[in-house]
Amino acid sequence: MAGKHKRKLEDLSVDEFLLSGFDSFEGDDSENEIPECGSEEQPVSQKKSKKKGKASEHKDQLSRLKDRDPEFYKFLQENDQKLLNFDGVDSSEDEEEQKYHKLPTELQVASSDEEEADVKTEKAKKSADKSTKVTAKMIEEWRTELKKDSSARLIRDITQAFKAAVATTKGESEDKCRYTVADSSIFNALILLCIKDMHGALNKLLNLKAPEKDQKKLILPSSSPRWQKNQLDIKMYLSGLVQLLSSLTESTVTAAVLRHANQMVPYYLCLPKQGRQLLKQLIKQWSTGEETVRVLAFLALNKICRHKQNIYLNPVLKQMYIAYVQNCKFTSPNSLPIINFMQRTLAEMYSLDTQVSYQHSFLYIRQLAIHLRNAMNMKKKETYQSVYNWQYVHCLYLWCRVLSTVYPSEVLEPLIYPLCQIIVGCIKLVPISRYYPLRLHCVRALILLSGSTKTFVPVLPFLLEILQQEDFNKKPARMSVKPINFAVILKLGKTNLQEKAFKDGLMEQLYDLILEYFHTQAHTVGFPELALPTVIQLKAFLKECKVANYCKQIRQLLEKVQENCSHITSRRQKAAFGVADVIAVAAWEKQVAEEGTPLTKYYSQWKKLREKEIQLEISGKERMEDLNFPEIKRKKLQEKNEDKKEFKGLFDSDSDSDGDDLMHKLKDDVDDDNDEGLEDLSDLSGDDDDDEDDASEVEGDSDGSEAKASTSKGKAPKQVSGLDLQELAEGDEDVVEDLELSDQD
């Protein structure tokens, strides 16, 4: 059949060969034959001659063996049955076919970016369709179920919903959540549910007993037999709570979440990873948050570190100190109370464990000493600035407060002397008048350290040196209305040194610090000897000073110091022990301190008044603000032009009557304005003197106008010219306006 339809290749021409196509021919006889052009097409299965594989040929041979040698075939059936019953499928052809690549039946077109985005959105929609939307009804049902009984399934549902709500704050919609929170009201209701009821529900679920009032030790949830089963849900909830805390900006909401986090502290103590995350957020809130937020964050930090000191105290102290230094770089009247709060709370944290605190204190005090040593050796502007800045001063004050808080402590007591040496070196680094504020800050830190640790520190020479260096009799070159707030400055400008407010504020600061230092030593046996050099220098200052206000302050201070000296001297004369008896001296000083001295009684009264003034300065208010003096404003140019138009007809008149009428009219207008401006000030009771001064000033103005009028009248024979009247009308006219009164008045 092949010979009828096929011809050999050697019989074909080139055109016939190209028209016949490139078909593969199999078999020995068919290799050189191709179908004729005119022959009909046959099916593909009949065209290709299939070559048998080796397995099929071997099977045919075995089948023929049954006819040729039946005995041998029988022997194989009995002894080698596998040889006869092998699989006859020939895999050689499949192996050969797998060697060659087969083209796909359909080509795939690469999808564009838009199509990929569409696919992602479709997947997101499908996942959103699968998740359940939280509604207000669901939240109410959860709340009622929590009050009745808290099951593990209910807690898991609320935790999943809380996770979905927190994910919306960060924009993390890719996370797979069982629930979706789309409305802000639903978000608020869900967060409120968790803050109010979740803590009690978890305690019920784990069968935790409520701690007793006097019980200080916490009951950890990990002690419950149900802890392992519900640990994953609790982990998810605690992580979501930290994430929510990091995304909040409203202080009231942050405070509410922090109160809830403080309740959940026992759970955080059982999970180290979530506990570290919470501590990081608490330190951030403690150093940068609002006042209430800072307090709540500190309470949570203190609670965690008290119950897990060996794990958390060391890293927490390090991070809190770094946050403190970073946030005290700038000092203002608004930030000063915050810095003081951070100082006191950080000192409270250092008092938890003196061994750990000594390591931190030694390291950081040594760093301060190294900065000071470099500044003293190099004597460059850059090294001076590394010491004379707010961060350095606040760190000195912090360590003084830490050593004062933990006293008496044998561990930290050796650090008192090097810290005092650093502060004294800081004062002596650049002892010029421009850095008097920094010196006063350092002296205040030394007074705190000396008074709290009962350590004698020679502070008075640094204060009395200012009285000798500064010339208080010299008249100031400039006058200033606003006083200088020494609490928020380190360096004075050249213009500040020439102002009267500089000397006034400096005298107040010297009075305060000398009185405060003597207050800390007022009960000691050696007070008369301690005060003797100061008394001599104060008397010498009174002889030289000619300014009444300064002399009044120094004289008052001198009287109180001398009164206390006489009191201590009289008490010492009655004592029956010697100075060498340390125990008896300590008991005598304790008794005198309990009974009180004239200086301590005066200091307590003065301190109350001084604190009120400091609060006004810190809040940025001026001391004279409550007096409510009336403001004097000039009339605008438009009002002057209107007056010109109004009195235009009068300027041309030369008669005496017209001039007199004009003067009376102007005087009446001024009196009316003054009456209107002072009308509301008549109700003031405490500010009568000030009102009288203001009234006298206004009356002085009116008297001046009357004097002008009388002079014009005195020249009655001579007619008043129109130019004089015009100049009089164009003159600046004062308008008295009253300010709003404060609530205290």
Side-chain angles (χ1 to χ4, degrees), residues 73-95:
Y73 187 78
K74 186 177 181 182
F75 173 78
L76 291 175
Q77 284 181 343
E78 294 176 357
N79 297 307
D80 197 353
Q81 190 70 24
K82 293 181 180 179
L83 183 62
L84 297 175
N85 297 329
F86 75 96
D87 189 7
V89 178
D90 191 7
S91 61
S92 61
E93 295 180 1
D94 297 335
E95 293 176 356

PDB file of all heavy atoms in Angstrom, residues 73-95:
ATOM      1  N   TYR A  73       7.994 -23.213  28.973  1.00  0.00           N
ATOM      2  CA  TYR A  73       6.987 -22.234  29.377  1.00  0.00           C
ATOM      3  C   TYR A  73       6.347 -22.630  30.707  1.00  0.00           C
ATOM      4  O   TYR A  73       6.080 -21.786  31.569  1.00  0.00           O
ATOM      5  CB  TYR A  73       5.949 -22.090  28.279  1.00  0.00           C
ATOM      6  CG  TYR A  73       4.950 -20.970  28.524  1.00  0.00           C
ATOM      7  CD1 TYR A  73       5.308 -19.641  28.276  1.00  0.00           C
ATOM      8  CD2 TYR A  73       3.668 -21.239  29.005  1.00  0.00           C
ATOM      9  CE1 TYR A  73       4.405 -18.617  28.499  1.00  0.00           C
ATOM     10  CE2 TYR A  73       2.760 -20.212  29.230  1.00  0.00           C
ATOM     11  CZ  TYR A  73       3.138 -18.899  28.975  1.00  0.00           C
ATOM     12  OH  TYR A  73       2.255 -17.869  29.199  1.00  0.00           O
ATOM     13  N   LYS A  74       6.106 -23.952  30.867  1.00  0.00           N
ATOM     14  CA  LYS A  74       5.522 -24.456  32.111  1.00  0.00           C
ATOM     15  C   LYS A  74       6.489 -24.265  33.273  1.00  0.00           C
ATOM     16  O   LYS A  74       6.099 -23.934  34.403  1.00  0.00           O
ATOM     17  CB  LYS A  74       5.165 -25.923  31.933  1.00  0.00           C
ATOM     18  CG  LYS A  74       4.421 -26.510  33.115  1.00  0.00           C
ATOM     19  CD  LYS A  74       4.052 -27.959  32.821  1.00  0.00           C
ATOM     20  CE  LYS A  74       3.283 -28.552  33.993  1.00  0.00           C
ATOM     21  NZ  LYS A  74       2.949 -29.984  33.761  1.00  0.00           N
ATOM     22  N   PHE A  75       7.812 -24.500  32.985  1.00  0.00           N
ATOM     23  CA  PHE A  75       8.830 -24.307  34.018  1.00  0.00           C
ATOM     24  C   PHE A  75       8.849 -22.844  34.491  1.00  0.00           C
ATOM     25  O   PHE A  75       8.970 -22.563  35.684  1.00  0.00           O
ATOM     26  CB  PHE A  75      10.195 -24.713  33.446  1.00  0.00           C
ATOM     27  CG  PHE A  75      11.337 -24.410  34.368  1.00  0.00           C
ATOM     28  CD1 PHE A  75      11.595 -25.247  35.465  1.00  0.00           C
ATOM     29  CD2 PHE A  75      12.146 -23.301  34.164  1.00  0.00           C
ATOM     30  CE1 PHE A  75      12.640 -24.956  36.310  1.00  0.00           C
ATOM     31  CE2 PHE A  75      13.186 -23.025  35.018  1.00  0.00           C
ATOM     32  CZ  PHE A  75      13.442 -23.845  36.104  1.00  0.00           C
ATOM     33  N   LEU A  76       8.701 -21.904  33.548  1.00  0.00           N
ATOM     34  CA  LEU A  76       8.685 -20.488  33.935  1.00  0.00           C
ATOM     35  C   LEU A  76       7.454 -20.120  34.771  1.00  0.00           C
ATOM     36  O   LEU A  76       7.525 -19.297  35.680  1.00  0.00           O
ATOM     37  CB  LEU A  76       8.723 -19.594  32.686  1.00  0.00           C
ATOM     38  CG  LEU A  76      10.031 -19.583  31.892  1.00  0.00           C
ATOM     39  CD1 LEU A  76       9.888 -18.754  30.629  1.00  0.00           C
ATOM     40  CD2 LEU A  76      11.174 -19.055  32.744  1.00  0.00           C
ATOM     41  N   GLN A  77       6.323 -20.761  34.446  1.00  0.00           N
ATOM     42  CA  GLN A  77       5.116 -20.501  35.222  1.00  0.00           C
ATOM     43  C   GLN A  77       5.266 -20.948  36.666  1.00  0.00           C
ATOM     44  O   GLN A  77       4.754 -20.311  37.585  1.00  0.00           O
ATOM     45  CB  GLN A  77       3.919 -21.204  34.576  1.00  0.00           C
ATOM     46  CG  GLN A  77       3.400 -20.498  33.334  1.00  0.00           C
ATOM     47  CD  GLN A  77       2.185 -21.222  32.752  1.00  0.00           C
ATOM     48  OE1 GLN A  77       1.946 -22.413  33.093  1.00  0.00           O
ATOM     49  NE2 GLN A  77       1.458 -20.535  31.877  1.00  0.00           N
ATOM     50  N   GLU A  78       5.986 -22.073  36.844  1.00  0.00           N
ATOM     51  CA  GLU A  78       6.138 -22.591  38.193  1.00  0.00           C
ATOM     52  C   GLU A  78       7.208 -21.838  38.988  1.00  0.00           C
ATOM     53  O   GLU A  78       7.057 -21.626  40.193  1.00  0.00           O
ATOM     54  CB  GLU A  78       6.503 -24.076  38.135  1.00  0.00           C
ATOM     55  CG  GLU A  78       5.372 -24.941  37.567  1.00  0.00           C
ATOM     56  CD  GLU A  78       5.798 -26.396  37.422  1.00  0.00           C
ATOM     57  OE1 GLU A  78       6.994 -26.646  37.718  1.00  0.00           O
ATOM     58  OE2 GLU A  78       4.948 -27.203  37.045  1.00  0.00           O
ATOM     59  N   ASN A  79       8.310 -21.447  38.372  1.00  0.00           N
ATOM     60  CA  ASN A  79       9.450 -20.873  39.100  1.00  0.00           C
ATOM     61  C   ASN A  79       9.583 -19.347  38.961  1.00  0.00           C
ATOM     62  O   ASN A  79      10.075 -18.685  39.875  1.00  0.00           O
ATOM     63  CB  ASN A  79      10.757 -21.515  38.615  1.00  0.00           C
ATOM     64  CG  ASN A  79      10.782 -23.012  38.917  1.00  0.00           C
ATOM     65  OD1 ASN A  79      10.572 -23.400  40.048  1.00  0.00           O
ATOM     66  ND2 ASN A  79      11.017 -23.837  37.903  1.00  0.00           N
ATOM     67  N   ASP A  80       9.201 -18.772  37.857  1.00  0.00           N
ATOM     68  CA  ASP A  80       9.386 -17.325  37.664  1.00  0.00           C
ATOM     69  C   ASP A  80       8.121 -16.730  37.069  1.00  0.00           C
ATOM     70  O   ASP A  80       8.017 -16.460  35.874  1.00  0.00           O
ATOM     71  CB  ASP A  80      10.582 -17.078  36.750  1.00  0.00           C
ATOM     72  CG  ASP A  80      11.075 -15.642  36.840  1.00  0.00           C
ATOM     73  OD1 ASP A  80      10.393 -14.818  37.509  1.00  0.00           O
ATOM     74  OD2 ASP A  80      12.115 -15.309  36.257  1.00  0.00           O
ATOM     75  N   GLN A  81       7.125 -16.571  37.955  1.00  0.00           N
ATOM     76  CA  GLN A  81       5.838 -16.068  37.489  1.00  0.00           C
ATOM     77  C   GLN A  81       5.905 -14.579  37.121  1.00  0.00           C
ATOM     78  O   GLN A  81       5.172 -14.113  36.252  1.00  0.00           O
ATOM     79  CB  GLN A  81       4.785 -16.274  38.602  1.00  0.00           C
ATOM     80  CG  GLN A  81       3.351 -16.017  38.161  1.00  0.00           C
ATOM     81  CD  GLN A  81       2.853 -17.094  37.200  1.00  0.00           C
ATOM     82  OE1 GLN A  81       3.371 -18.225  37.193  1.00  0.00           O
ATOM     83  NE2 GLN A  81       1.845 -16.792  36.405  1.00  0.00           N
ATOM     84  N   LYS A  82       6.821 -13.837  37.745  1.00  0.00           N
ATOM     85  CA  LYS A  82       6.913 -12.388  37.492  1.00  0.00           C
ATOM     86  C   LYS A  82       7.390 -12.100  36.076  1.00  0.00           C
ATOM     87  O   LYS A  82       7.029 -11.087  35.482  1.00  0.00           O
ATOM     88  CB  LYS A  82       7.875 -11.730  38.489  1.00  0.00           C
ATOM     89  CG  LYS A  82       7.374 -11.754  39.915  1.00  0.00           C
ATOM     90  CD  LYS A  82       8.374 -11.070  40.833  1.00  0.00           C
ATOM     91  CE  LYS A  82       7.887 -11.083  42.278  1.00  0.00           C
ATOM     92  NZ  LYS A  82       8.863 -10.435  43.182  1.00  0.00           N
ATOM     93  N   LEU A  83       8.246 -12.988  35.560  1.00  0.00           N
ATOM     94  CA  LEU A  83       8.751 -12.787  34.202  1.00  0.00           C
ATOM     95  C   LEU A  83       7.647 -12.853  33.172  1.00  0.00           C
ATOM     96  O   LEU A  83       7.658 -12.141  32.170  1.00  0.00           O
ATOM     97  CB  LEU A  83       9.844 -13.823  33.900  1.00  0.00           C
ATOM     98  CG  LEU A  83      10.533 -13.700  32.533  1.00  0.00           C
ATOM     99  CD1 LEU A  83      11.253 -12.366  32.426  1.00  0.00           C
ATOM    100  CD2 LEU A  83      11.499 -14.851  32.307  1.00  0.00           C
ATOM    101  N   LEU A  84       6.667 -13.696  33.419  1.00  0.00           N
ATOM    102  CA  LEU A  84       5.568 -13.847  32.466  1.00  0.00           C
ATOM    103  C   LEU A  84       4.500 -12.773  32.645  1.00  0.00           C
ATOM    104  O   LEU A  84       3.878 -12.352  31.667  1.00  0.00           O
ATOM    105  CB  LEU A  84       4.938 -15.240  32.628  1.00  0.00           C
ATOM    106  CG  LEU A  84       5.862 -16.429  32.325  1.00  0.00           C
ATOM    107  CD1 LEU A  84       5.149 -17.739  32.635  1.00  0.00           C
ATOM    108  CD2 LEU A  84       6.309 -16.406  30.867  1.00  0.00           C
ATOM    109  N   ASN A  85       4.283 -12.347  33.878  1.00  0.00           N
ATOM    110  CA  ASN A  85       3.181 -11.410  34.166  1.00  0.00           C
ATOM    111  C   ASN A  85       3.670  -9.965  34.348  1.00  0.00           C
ATOM    112  O   ASN A  85       3.129  -9.211  35.131  1.00  0.00           O
ATOM    113  CB  ASN A  85       2.435 -11.847  35.430  1.00  0.00           C
ATOM    114  CG  ASN A  85       1.800 -13.203  35.243  1.00  0.00           C
ATOM    115  OD1 ASN A  85       1.405 -13.571  34.136  1.00  0.00           O
ATOM    116  ND2 ASN A  85       1.688 -13.968  36.329  1.00  0.00           N
ATOM    117  N   PHE A  86       4.737  -9.562  33.667  1.00  0.00           N
ATOM    118  CA  PHE A  86       5.221  -8.182  33.809  1.00  0.00           C
ATOM    119  C   PHE A  86       4.318  -7.238  33.023  1.00  0.00           C
ATOM    120  O   PHE A  86       3.558  -7.653  32.138  1.00  0.00           O
ATOM    121  CB  PHE A  86       6.686  -8.085  33.336  1.00  0.00           C
ATOM    122  CG  PHE A  86       6.845  -8.126  31.851  1.00  0.00           C
ATOM    123  CD1 PHE A  86       6.951  -6.952  31.100  1.00  0.00           C
ATOM    124  CD2 PHE A  86       6.869  -9.350  31.175  1.00  0.00           C
ATOM    125  CE1 PHE A  86       7.089  -7.010  29.735  1.00  0.00           C
ATOM    126  CE2 PHE A  86       7.007  -9.392  29.816  1.00  0.00           C
ATOM    127  CZ  PHE A  86       7.118  -8.222  29.087  1.00  0.00           C
ATOM    128  N   ASP A  87       4.432  -5.946  33.380  1.00  0.00           N
ATOM    129  CA  ASP A  87       3.608  -4.905  32.731  1.00  0.00           C
ATOM    130  C   ASP A  87       4.100  -4.686  31.315  1.00  0.00           C
ATOM    131  O   ASP A  87       5.268  -4.392  31.077  1.00  0.00           O
ATOM    132  CB  ASP A  87       3.696  -3.575  33.510  1.00  0.00           C
ATOM    133  CG  ASP A  87       2.682  -2.569  32.990  1.00  0.00           C
ATOM    134  OD1 ASP A  87       1.863  -2.943  32.147  1.00  0.00           O
ATOM    135  OD2 ASP A  87       2.736  -1.400  33.454  1.00  0.00           O
ATOM    136  N   GLY A  88       3.218  -4.820  30.382  1.00  0.00           N
ATOM    137  CA  GLY A  88       3.596  -4.730  28.978  1.00  0.00           C
ATOM    138  C   GLY A  88       3.632  -3.329  28.432  1.00  0.00           C
ATOM    139  O   GLY A  88       3.829  -3.134  27.239  1.00  0.00           O
ATOM    140  N   VAL A  89       3.444  -2.311  29.260  1.00  0.00           N
ATOM    141  CA  VAL A  89       3.446  -0.924  28.765  1.00  0.00           C
ATOM    142  C   VAL A  89       4.875  -0.516  28.474  1.00  0.00           C
ATOM    143  O   VAL A  89       5.772  -0.682  29.305  1.00  0.00           O
ATOM    144  CB  VAL A  89       2.814   0.024  29.799  1.00  0.00           C
ATOM    145  CG1 VAL A  89       2.864   1.453  29.289  1.00  0.00           C
ATOM    146  CG2 VAL A  89       1.393  -0.415  30.092  1.00  0.00           C
ATOM    147  N   ASP A  90       5.091  -0.005  27.311  1.00  0.00           N
ATOM    148  CA  ASP A  90       6.435   0.392  26.889  1.00  0.00           C
ATOM    149  C   ASP A  90       6.647   1.859  27.247  1.00  0.00           C
ATOM    150  O   ASP A  90       5.943   2.730  26.749  1.00  0.00           O
ATOM    151  CB  ASP A  90       6.579   0.182  25.379  1.00  0.00           C
ATOM    152  CG  ASP A  90       8.028   0.334  24.938  1.00  0.00           C
ATOM    153  OD1 ASP A  90       8.881   0.467  25.841  1.00  0.00           O
ATOM    154  OD2 ASP A  90       8.254   0.317  23.724  1.00  0.00           O
ATOM    155  N   SER A  91       7.590   2.101  28.131  1.00  0.00           N
ATOM    156  CA  SER A  91       7.858   3.467  28.598  1.00  0.00           C
ATOM    157  C   SER A  91       8.981   4.137  27.845  1.00  0.00           C
ATOM    158  O   SER A  91       9.303   5.282  28.107  1.00  0.00           O
ATOM    159  CB  SER A  91       8.212   3.450  30.095  1.00  0.00           C
ATOM    160  OG  SER A  91       9.380   2.678  30.298  1.00  0.00           O
ATOM    161  N   SER A  92       9.603   3.405  26.930  1.00  0.00           N
ATOM    162  CA  SER A  92      10.724   4.000  26.207  1.00  0.00           C
ATOM    163  C   SER A  92      10.271   5.151  25.314  1.00  0.00           C
ATOM    164  O   SER A  92      10.946   6.148  25.160  1.00  0.00           O
ATOM    165  CB  SER A  92      11.448   2.935  25.385  1.00  0.00           C
ATOM    166  OG  SER A  92      10.559   2.377  24.443  1.00  0.00           O
ATOM    167  N   GLU A  93       9.083   4.954  24.713  1.00  0.00           N
ATOM    168  CA  GLU A  93       8.573   6.016  23.846  1.00  0.00           C
ATOM    169  C   GLU A  93       8.242   7.273  24.645  1.00  0.00           C
ATOM    170  O   GLU A  93       8.513   8.387  24.209  1.00  0.00           O
ATOM    171  CB  GLU A  93       7.333   5.518  23.101  1.00  0.00           C
ATOM    172  CG  GLU A  93       7.633   4.385  22.131  1.00  0.00           C
ATOM    173  CD  GLU A  93       6.378   3.936  21.414  1.00  0.00           C
ATOM    174  OE1 GLU A  93       5.324   4.555  21.688  1.00  0.00           O
ATOM    175  OE2 GLU A  93       6.435   3.020  20.599  1.00  0.00           O
ATOM    176  N   ASP A  94       7.675   7.078  25.859  1.00  0.00           N
ATOM    177  CA  ASP A  94       7.345   8.247  26.686  1.00  0.00           C
ATOM    178  C   ASP A  94       8.602   8.980  27.112  1.00  0.00           C
ATOM    179  O   ASP A  94       8.633  10.208  27.156  1.00  0.00           O
ATOM    180  CB  ASP A  94       6.545   7.812  27.916  1.00  0.00           C
ATOM    181  CG  ASP A  94       5.210   7.196  27.507  1.00  0.00           C
ATOM    182  OD1 ASP A  94       4.742   7.534  26.404  1.00  0.00           O
ATOM    183  OD2 ASP A  94       4.655   6.409  28.292  1.00  0.00           O
ATOM    184  N   GLU A  95       9.650   8.194  27.409  1.00  0.00           N
ATOM    185  CA  GLU A  95      10.898   8.826  27.819  1.00  0.00           C
ATOM    186  C   GLU A  95      11.503   9.634  26.685  1.00  0.00           C
ATOM    187  O   GLU A  95      12.015  10.730  26.873  1.00  0.00           O
ATOM    188  CB  GLU A  95      11.885   7.770  28.294  1.00  0.00           C
ATOM    189  CG  GLU A  95      11.445   7.087  29.591  1.00  0.00           C
ATOM    190  CD  GLU A  95      12.399   5.973  29.975  1.00  0.00           C
ATOM    191  OE1 GLU A  95      13.330   5.714  29.188  1.00  0.00           O
ATOM    192  OE2 GLU A  95      12.208   5.370  31.045  1.00  0.00           O
TER     193      GLU A  95
END
